Amino acid sequence: MRYHTILIVSYHCQLWHSAALQSLAPEPPYPNQRLLLWSNSTVTAEERAWLQHHFAAYSLIHIVPGKNWGLAAAYNHVIANYITPEDYLTLLDQDTLIPQSYWHEMNEAMQQQWPLILPQLWSSNRLMSPGRRWGARGYHSQSMANAVGVVSSRRLVAMNSGMTLSGRFLSSLCYPDALFVYGTDSWLMRQYESRYPSVWLLQSRLQHNLAEAQLSYRSDVYRAKQLEMIQALGVIYNHTRFERFLTRCYQQWYRLRLWWRCR
């Protein structure tokens, strides 16, 4: 392994308020680890100074594109320009709290050269990721809370934050332009499932703040996010004629539910 890159994507968050940045150790757990921060919104001079001071021990890369690229475009840029087949990439959201045990477990799994390594992602007392999928619908599976080690990738879904991917797997991927933020994780898991039979699941539990759960059903932001999710289904689940038919049914159902909630 040449580099293990930690990619944190931030948006409308002062850097010192990011749970992910706050929970990183002052020094990297191992020498080949580097931090890449992608800021999809404006960063002040004070934030830049704080970043340089607190993460001086890291090999730090800070990218501020000047506009919100979303996740798909940001991931594509990082993979194309910073990740080689010998590297590993960890994806983190700004609001994910990381225990120190996660890095030690992660390092052991990377030494075994697993293409995809997943943690347990919790929101309060509820397991959010990984889960399982039926058709085009993912669902929470509390049985995954006791799963550790080798887990089948068949119909497995997982959220972006906390997953670690090998550069060899990533070198064959390019996120679709039609995806922006939502659906990037489901698309990735479909790609992985078609190539590898299993993943490695860590025992570590990451705490994640779901900002979407706090939005009012009648807010414009909530409606826009839901419409993006509905649109993403057609990009992810379109491999067969039956799958496309089933996806259209899901999309119609979700649109009706959204209309009912936002009326």
Side-chain angles (χ1 to χ4, degrees):
M1 179 174 62
R2 193 176 70 108
Y3 280 115
H4 174 205
T5 300
I6 306 166
L7 171 60
I8 300 177
V9 178
S10 68
Y11 180 64
H12 283 175
C13 171
Q14 290 182 307
L15 297 184
W16 45 72
H17 290 158
S18 164
L21 287 172
Q22 288 177 356
S23 57
L24 287 179
E27 296 184 0
Y30 28 90
N32 60 341
Q33 192 178 62
R34 64 181 178 182
L35 174 61
L36 197 161
L37 176 63
W38 183 289
S39 297
N40 266 331
S41 54
T42 305
V43 177
T44 65
E46 290 80 5
E47 289 176 285
R48 292 178 188 272
W50 177 86
L51 192 67
Q52 293 292 338
H53 174 72
H54 280 77
F55 299 103
Y58 284 77
S59 175
L60 176 64
I61 303 167
H62 188 197
I63 300 175
V64 187
K67 64 176 182 178
N68 184 8
W69 280 33
L71 292 182
Y75 290 166
N76 281 338
H77 181 88
V78 169
I79 292 167
N81 293 279
Y82 296 98
I83 306 300
T84 72
E86 290 74 35
D87 294 340
Y88 269 92
L89 175 66
T90 293
L91 307 178
L92 286 172
D93 290 350
Q94 64 190 21
D95 46 10
T96 299
L97 192 63
I98 312 146
Q100 290 306 307
S101 60
Y102 167 78
W103 301 115
H104 299 295
E105 273 196 277
M106 179 68 63
N107 192 34
E108 291 179 1
M110 288 190 297
Q111 297 304 320
Q112 298 178 38
Q113 299 185 348
W114 277 92
L116 176 59
I117 307 162
L118 297 175
Q120 294 183 20
L121 200 62
W122 290 72
S123 180
S124 298
N125 295 318
R126 186 179 186 186
L127 177 64
M128 306 304 297
S129 173
R132 290 294 181 184
R133 171 179 54 82
W134 188 90
R137 179 180 175 83
Y139 59 90
H140 302 299
S141 175
Q142 291 302 315
S143 64
M144 299 297 293
N146 299 318
V148 177
V150 181
V151 174
S152 171
S153 64
R154 187 169 182 266
R155 296 188 296 107
L156 187 69
V157 292
M159 296 173 67
N160 284 319
S161 195
M163 64 169 56
T164 295
L165 308 111
S166 73
R168 198 168 304 280
F169 168 50
L170 290 172
S171 64
S172 63
L173 296 183
C174 182
Y175 287 85
D177 293 337
L179 295 179
F180 188 64
V181 172
Y182 295 102
T184 50
D185 42 16
S186 297
W187 179 85
L188 178 79
M189 295 305 295
R190 288 296 311 269
Q191 301 303 309
Y192 186 88
E193 179 185 359
S194 68
R195 292 167 169 81
Y196 300 97
S198 55
V199 307
W200 186 267
L201 184 60
L202 303 176
Q203 190 172 11
S204 296
R205 295 186 174 189
L206 279 60
Q207 286 294 326
H208 184 69
N209 177 30
L210 286 177
E212 292 82 3
Q214 302 171 12
L215 292 173
S216 167
Y217 286 161
R218 296 188 177 182
S219 72
D220 292 339
V221 175
Y222 173 82
R223 187 173 185 276
K225 289 179 181 293
Q226 292 297 311
L227 287 173
E228 184 186 336
M229 291 181 191
I230 293 169
Q231 186 71 23
L233 291 176
V235 179
I236 302 164
Y237 304 108
N238 60 1
H239 293 184
T240 65
R241 182 178 297 179
F242 174 74
E243 192 172 75
R244 288 191 291 271
F245 168 76
L246 189 63
T247 299
R248 285 195 293 270
C249 292
Y250 275 119
Q251 288 175 314
Q252 290 300 324
W253 161 246
Y254 286 136
R255 288 190 182 100
L256 284 171
R257 188 178 67 170
L258 179 62
W259 170 81
W260 179 260
R261 285 180 170 179
C262 299
R263 73 191 191 284

